[in-house]
Each structure stands twice: as C-alpha cells, then as structure tokens.
Amino acid sequence: DIQMTQSPSSMSASLGDRVTITCQASQDIGNNLIWFQQKPGKSPRPMIYYATNLANGVPSRFSGSRSGSDYSLTISSLESEDMADYHCLQYKQYPLTFGSGTKLEIK
Amino acid sequence: EVQILETGGGLVKPGGSLRLSCATSGFNFNDYFMNWVRQAPGKGLEWVAQIRNKNYNYATYYAESLEGRVTISRDDSKSSVYLQVSSLRAEDTAIYYCTRAFDYWGQGVMVTVSS
C-alpha cells in the first residue's frame, strides 16, 4: 500500500501568514493527488486536483506543488475562513489512501 | 445541480450488518466512478470502496481493513450506489460519505456500532 505521510498534524498561524502543508508519498504516485479542505461538521471540499490544479471556485491564495515524492498545499496569505482540516489523497494505486490530516488553527 | 444523499445509517449492535444507500441526481451517473469514504469521530478520512462504471465492467475495489466485510454496488437505473457492511465492530463507527470521483460529496451518514 502507498503510505501518505502528512505533516504537520496540527499548526497554528496568524492571519496573513504563508502556510504550507506537506504529504510525502511512500511510492511514486505521479501527480495523482487531491487536496481537500474540511470544516467542522462539513463534508470534504476538493481544493487542488492532480497535485497542482486549483479546483473551481477556490481562492487563488491556495496552490499545490510537487517536489519528487513531496506534495505541498500552500496558502499564500492566511485568512480566517481557512481554519479547517486539510487532507491529501493519492489515487494512483489501490487501495486509495489519505494522509492523516492537518488541523490548521488561527492564532 | 449535483446532489448526493446518503441514507441508512444508525445504531447497530456489534456483529450486525447495515446497508447504506446513496442517491444521486444532477449528473450522468453512468459516467462516474463512485466511492465511499468514512471518518471515525475526531479522526481522518479513510477510503472504503470504489465501484467503476459500466465501461469498466463495474469493477470494485476495497480498503484492506474492510475487505471481506464490505460490498459496494450500484444501480445505474436509480443513479444510486450502495454499501453493505457486515460483522460490524466498534471501530466501524464513523460518518460514511458517498462521493462522486471525490469532486462532489454527500453530507454523510452516521453509523454507530455499540451494544
């Protein structure tokens, strides 16, 4: 199985900060990765498709990148509405696997 | 408008079984792979199962942690997908989400396994 190691598990940042969350894949997944945002009591919302492509309606302060087996979700300037849990998902190989999630809090 | 609605959750005793339903509308259901994803209270997301569409012979795939206890199926005539889970354990307690190719998600249905 492909393991997705997500870090950090939680973080606190100030409004306006640049925030980066990372998922490291244990095997090659190409760009077959989705980033999700999940607010309390809500369903996950896809933010980034195919590692780097912004989903429709997602603010441009969000971006996705890849460096080798490391995949990053970056928020360029944190806003209060970005407080949420973030998850990555690899869909290169079955079983599909999620990262363990990152809880992002606002200082 | 894409709509996804899960039903069938509830309180089940350990060892029991449950069939979750996911009714969809607003898109051509036949075109899509459908998935179930679950989330235990306070935990992360866990992919459960996928069923491909007719073009892929309705192939099914399962999480290893559930294989043998879970069956995903679909009825294209009803634009619906189902998840049958048996031999339920306390650790199966979770919100179960139905999702169309991970782009649209239902609101989820709670399954609680407890005596």
Side-chain angles (χ1 to χ4, degrees):
Chain A
D1 297 5
I2 297 175
Q3 309 302 319
M4 301 301 296
T5 303
Q6 187 169 344
S7 60
S9 56
S10 65
M11 65 180 300
S12 180
S14 299
L15 298 178
D17 280 356
R18 182 181 182 88
V19 169
T20 297
I21 297 166
T22 299
C23 277
Q24 182 177 68
S26 63
Q27 300 176 38
D28 176 50
I29 61 168
N31 279 357
N32 296 293
L33 181 123
I34 303 173
W35 285 101
F36 297 93
Q37 177 191 69
Q38 187 181 26
K39 295 188 176 181
K42 299 295 187 182
S43 304
R45 171 194 180 190
M47 305 297 279
I48 303 286
Y49 288 106
Y50 207 57
T52 61
N53 297 336
L54 204 64
N56 285 343
V58 173
S60 59
R61 64 181 180 275
F62 287 88
S63 63
S65 63
R66 173 190 175 187
S67 176
S69 62
D70 292 334
Y71 300 80
S72 296
L73 173 71
T74 298
I75 307 171
S76 61
S77 181
L78 191 66
E79 297 195 7
S80 57
E81 66 186 34
D82 301 334
M83 183 183 73
D85 293 336
Y86 292 86
H87 311 270
C88 65
L89 168 71
Q90 71 78 20
Y91 58 95
K92 171 68 174 179
Q93 182 183 110
Y94 296 103
L96 309 187
T97 44
F98 284 92
S100 54
T102 296
K103 177 180 277 298
L104 174 58
E105 296 176 324
I106 310 296
K107 277 184 190 173
Chain B
E1 179 192 5
V2 172
Q3 295 194 343
I4 298 175
L5 180 65
E6 305 97 334
T7 56
L11 176 62
V12 185
K13 287 184 166 48
S17 61
L18 205 60
R19 187 191 195 217
L20 304 179
S21 299
C22 170
T24 75
S25 62
F27 64 99
N28 189 353
F29 183 79
N30 297 0
D31 288 345
Y32 288 89
F33 298 178
M34 298 296 295
N35 295 268
W36 287 93
V37 173
R38 70 181 183 179
Q39 187 170 36
K43 302 296 184 182
L45 299 170
E46 179 184 20
W47 173 76
V48 172
Q50 181 184 93
I51 185 165
R52 294 189 169 191
N53 61 12
K54 184 177 180 180
N55 291 346
Y56 291 85
N57 296 315
Y58 302 116
T60 58
Y61 302 89
Y62 299 100
E64 290 171 6
S65 61
L66 287 144
E67 199 145 18
R69 298 194 296 122
V70 64
T71 302
I72 188 171
S73 59
R74 63 190 290 162
D75 184 337
D76 289 352
S77 69
K78 296 182 179 179
S79 298
S80 294
V81 61
Y82 308 96
L83 187 73
Q84 178 80 36
V85 189
S86 60
S87 302
L88 282 158
R89 310 163 181 166
E91 53 265 37
D92 295 319
T93 294
I95 297 172
Y96 285 73
Y97 295 101
C98 175
T99 168
R100 180 195 91 164
F102 303 107
D103 57 357
Y104 285 91
W105 295 62
Q107 84 291 343
V109 63
M110 186 71 206
V111 172
T112 302
V113 183
S114 174
S115 54

Coordinates of all heavy atoms in Angstrom, one line a residue, chain B residues 71-107:
Chain B
T71 N -19.3 -4.7 0.7 CA -19.7 -4.9 -0.7 C -20.3 -3.6 -1.2 O -21.2 -3.1 -0.6 CB -20.7 -6.0 -0.9 OG1 -20.2 -7.2 -0.4 CG2 -21.0 -6.2 -2.4
I72 N -19.6 -3.1 -2.2 CA -20.2 -1.9 -2.9 C -20.9 -2.3 -4.2 O -20.5 -3.2 -4.9 CB -19.1 -0.8 -3.2 CG1 -19.7 0.5 -3.7 CG2 -18.1 -1.4 -4.2 CD1 -18.6 1.6 -3.9
S73 N -22.0 -1.7 -4.4 CA -22.8 -2.0 -5.6 C -23.5 -0.7 -6.1 O -23.5 0.3 -5.4 CB -23.9 -3.1 -5.3 OG -24.7 -2.6 -4.3
R74 N -24.0 -0.8 -7.3 CA -24.6 0.4 -7.9 C -25.8 0.0 -8.8 O -25.9 -1.2 -9.3 CB -23.7 1.2 -8.7 CG -23.1 0.6 -9.9 CD -21.9 1.4 -10.5 NE -22.4 2.6 -11.2 CZ -21.6 3.6 -11.5 NH1 -20.3 3.6 -11.1 NH2 -22.1 4.7 -12.1
D75 N -26.8 0.9 -8.9 CA -27.9 0.6 -9.8 C -28.0 1.9 -10.7 O -28.5 2.9 -10.2 CB -29.2 0.5 -8.9 CG -30.4 0.2 -9.8 OD1 -30.4 0.5 -11.0 OD2 -31.4 -0.4 -9.2
D76 N -27.5 1.8 -11.9 CA -27.5 2.9 -12.8 C -28.9 3.4 -13.1 O -29.1 4.6 -13.3 CB -26.7 2.6 -14.0 CG -25.2 2.4 -13.8 OD1 -24.7 2.7 -12.7 OD2 -24.5 1.9 -14.8
S77 N -29.9 2.5 -13.1 CA -31.2 2.9 -13.4 C -31.8 3.9 -12.3 O -32.7 4.6 -12.5 CB -32.1 1.7 -13.6 OG -32.3 1.1 -12.3
K78 N -31.2 3.8 -11.1 CA -31.7 4.6 -10.0 C -30.6 5.6 -9.6 O -30.8 6.4 -8.6 CB -32.0 3.7 -8.8 CG -33.1 2.8 -9.0 CD -33.4 2.0 -7.7 CE -34.6 1.0 -8.0 NZ -34.9 0.2 -6.8
S79 N -29.5 5.7 -10.4 CA -28.5 6.7 -10.1 C -28.0 6.6 -8.6 O -27.9 7.6 -7.9 CB -28.9 8.1 -10.4 OG -29.2 8.2 -11.8
S80 N -27.9 5.3 -8.1 CA -27.6 5.1 -6.7 C -26.5 4.1 -6.6 O -26.3 3.2 -7.4 CB -28.9 4.6 -6.0 OG -29.9 5.5 -6.0
V81 N -25.8 4.3 -5.4 CA -24.7 3.4 -5.1 C -25.0 2.9 -3.6 O -25.6 3.6 -2.9 CB -23.4 4.0 -5.2 CG1 -23.2 5.3 -4.3 CG2 -22.2 3.1 -5.0
Y82 N -24.5 1.7 -3.3 CA -24.8 1.1 -2.0 C -23.6 0.6 -1.4 O -22.6 0.3 -2.1 CB -25.9 0.0 -2.2 CG -27.1 0.4 -3.0 CD1 -27.1 0.2 -4.4 CD2 -28.1 1.0 -2.4 CE1 -28.3 0.6 -5.1 CE2 -29.2 1.4 -3.1 CZ -29.3 1.2 -4.5 OH -30.4 1.6 -5.2
L83 N -23.6 0.5 -0.1 CA -22.5 -0.1 0.7 C -23.1 -1.1 1.7 O -23.8 -0.6 2.6 CB -21.7 0.9 1.4 CG -20.4 0.4 2.0 CD1 -19.4 0.0 0.9 CD2 -19.8 1.4 3.0
Q84 N -22.8 -2.3 1.6 CA -23.3 -3.3 2.5 C -22.1 -3.6 3.4 O -21.0 -4.0 2.9 CB -23.7 -4.6 1.8 CG -24.1 -5.7 2.7 CD -25.6 -5.5 3.3 OE1 -26.4 -5.0 2.6 NE2 -25.8 -5.9 4.5
V85 N -22.2 -3.5 4.7 CA -21.2 -3.8 5.7 C -21.7 -4.8 6.7 O -22.8 -4.6 7.2 CB -20.7 -2.5 6.4 CG1 -19.5 -2.8 7.2 CG2 -20.4 -1.4 5.5
S86 N -20.9 -5.8 6.9 CA -21.3 -6.9 7.8 C -20.3 -7.0 8.9 O -19.2 -6.4 8.9 CB -21.5 -8.2 7.0 OG -20.3 -8.6 6.4
S87 N -20.6 -7.9 9.9 CA -19.8 -8.2 11.0 C -19.2 -6.9 11.6 O -18.0 -6.7 11.8 CB -18.6 -9.1 10.6 OG -19.1 -10.3 10.1
L88 N -20.1 -5.9 11.8 CA -19.7 -4.6 12.3 C -19.1 -4.7 13.7 O -19.4 -5.4 14.5 CB -20.9 -3.7 12.3 CG -21.4 -3.2 10.9 CD1 -22.8 -2.7 10.9 CD2 -20.4 -2.0 10.5
R89 N -18.1 -3.8 13.8 CA -17.3 -3.7 15.0 C -17.3 -2.2 15.5 O -17.7 -1.3 14.7 CB -15.8 -4.0 14.7 CG -15.6 -5.3 14.0 CD -14.2 -5.4 13.4 NE -14.0 -6.6 12.6 CZ -13.0 -6.8 11.8 NH1 -12.1 -5.9 11.6 NH2 -12.9 -8.0 11.2
A90 N -17.0 -2.0 16.8 CA -17.0 -0.7 17.3 C -16.1 0.3 16.5 O -16.5 1.4 16.3 CB -16.5 -0.7 18.7
E91 N -15.0 -0.2 15.9 CA -14.2 0.6 15.1 C -14.7 1.0 13.8 O -14.1 1.8 13.0 CB -12.8 0.0 15.0 CG -12.8 -1.4 14.4 CD -12.7 -2.5 15.5 OE1 -13.3 -2.2 16.6 OE2 -12.1 -3.5 15.3
D92 N -15.9 0.4 13.4 CA -16.6 0.9 12.2 C -17.4 2.1 12.4 O -18.0 2.6 11.5 CB -17.4 -0.3 11.6 CG -16.6 -1.5 11.2 OD1 -15.5 -1.2 10.6 OD2 -17.0 -2.6 11.4
T93 N -17.5 2.5 13.7 CA -18.3 3.7 14.0 C -17.7 4.9 13.3 O -16.5 5.2 13.5 CB -18.3 4.0 15.5 OG1 -19.0 2.9 16.1 CG2 -18.9 5.3 15.8
A94 N -18.5 5.6 12.5 CA -17.9 6.6 11.6 C -19.0 7.3 10.9 O -20.2 6.8 10.8 CB -16.9 6.1 10.6
I95 N -18.7 8.5 10.3 CA -19.6 9.1 9.3 C -19.1 8.5 8.0 O -17.9 8.4 7.7 CB -19.4 10.6 9.3 CG1 -19.9 11.2 10.6 CG2 -20.2 11.2 8.1 CD1 -19.6 12.7 10.7
Y96 N -20.1 8.0 7.2 CA -19.8 7.4 5.9 C -20.3 8.4 4.8 O -21.4 8.8 4.8 CB -20.5 6.0 5.8 CG -19.9 4.9 6.6 CD1 -20.0 4.9 8.0 CD2 -19.1 4.0 6.0 CE1 -19.3 4.0 8.7 CE2 -18.4 3.0 6.7 CZ -18.6 3.0 8.1 OH -17.9 2.0 8.8
Y97 N -19.3 8.7 4.0 CA -19.6 9.7 2.9 C -19.6 8.9 1.6 O -18.8 8.1 1.3 CB -18.5 10.7 2.8 CG -18.4 11.7 4.0 CD1 -17.4 11.5 4.9 CD2 -19.3 12.8 4.1 CE1 -17.3 12.4 6.0 CE2 -19.1 13.7 5.1 CZ -18.1 13.5 6.1 OH -18.0 14.4 7.1
C98 N -20.6 9.4 0.7 CA -20.6 8.9 -0.7 C -20.0 10.1 -1.5 O -20.4 11.2 -1.3 CB -22.0 8.6 -1.0 SG -22.3 8.2 -2.7
T99 N -19.2 9.7 -2.4 CA -18.6 10.8 -3.2 C -18.5 10.4 -4.7 O -18.1 9.2 -5.0 CB -17.2 11.2 -2.7 OG1 -16.6 12.1 -3.6 CG2 -16.3 10.1 -2.3
R100 N -18.8 11.3 -5.5 CA -18.6 11.1 -7.0 C -17.2 11.5 -7.3 O -16.8 12.7 -7.4 CB -19.6 12.0 -7.7 CG -19.5 11.9 -9.2 CD -20.2 13.0 -10.0 NE -19.3 14.1 -10.2 CZ -19.6 15.1 -11.1 NH1 -20.7 15.1 -11.7 NH2 -18.8 16.1 -11.2
A101 N -16.3 10.6 -7.5 CA -15.0 10.8 -8.0 C -14.3 11.9 -7.2 O -13.4 12.6 -7.7 CB -15.0 11.2 -9.5
F102 N -14.7 12.0 -5.9 CA -14.1 12.9 -5.0 C -14.3 14.4 -5.3 O -13.8 15.2 -4.6 CB -12.6 12.6 -4.8 CG -12.3 11.2 -4.4 CD1 -11.7 10.3 -5.4 CD2 -12.5 10.8 -3.2 CE1 -11.5 9.0 -5.0 CE2 -12.3 9.4 -2.8 CZ -11.8 8.6 -3.7
D103 N -15.1 14.7 -6.3 CA -15.4 16.1 -6.5 C -16.7 16.6 -5.8 O -16.7 17.7 -5.4 CB -15.4 16.4 -8.0 CG -16.4 15.6 -8.8 OD1 -17.1 14.7 -8.2 OD2 -16.5 15.9 -10.0
Y104 N -17.7 15.7 -5.8 CA -18.9 16.1 -5.1 C -19.1 15.0 -4.0 O -18.9 13.8 -4.2 CB -20.1 16.1 -6.0 CG -20.1 17.3 -6.9 CD1 -19.5 17.4 -8.1 CD2 -20.8 18.5 -6.4 CE1 -19.6 18.5 -8.9 CE2 -20.8 19.6 -7.2 CZ -20.2 19.6 -8.4 OH -20.2 20.8 -9.2
W105 N -19.5 15.5 -2.8 CA -19.7 14.6 -1.6 C -21.1 14.8 -1.1 O -21.6 15.9 -1.1 CB -18.7 15.0 -0.6 CG -17.2 14.7 -0.9 CD1 -16.5 15.3 -1.9 CD2 -16.3 13.9 -0.2 NE1 -15.2 14.9 -1.9 CE2 -15.1 14.0 -0.9 CE3 -16.4 13.0 0.9 CZ2 -14.0 13.2 -0.5 CZ3 -15.3 12.3 1.3 CH2 -14.1 12.4 0.6
G106 N -21.6 13.7 -0.5 CA -22.8 13.9 0.3 C -22.5 14.5 1.6 O -21.3 14.7 2.0
Q107 N -23.5 14.6 2.4 CA -23.4 15.2 3.8 C -22.9 14.2 4.8 O -22.5 14.5 5.9 CB -24.7 15.9 4.2 CG -25.7 15.0 4.9 CD -26.3 14.0 3.9 OE1 -26.3 14.2 2.7 NE2 -26.9 12.9 4.5

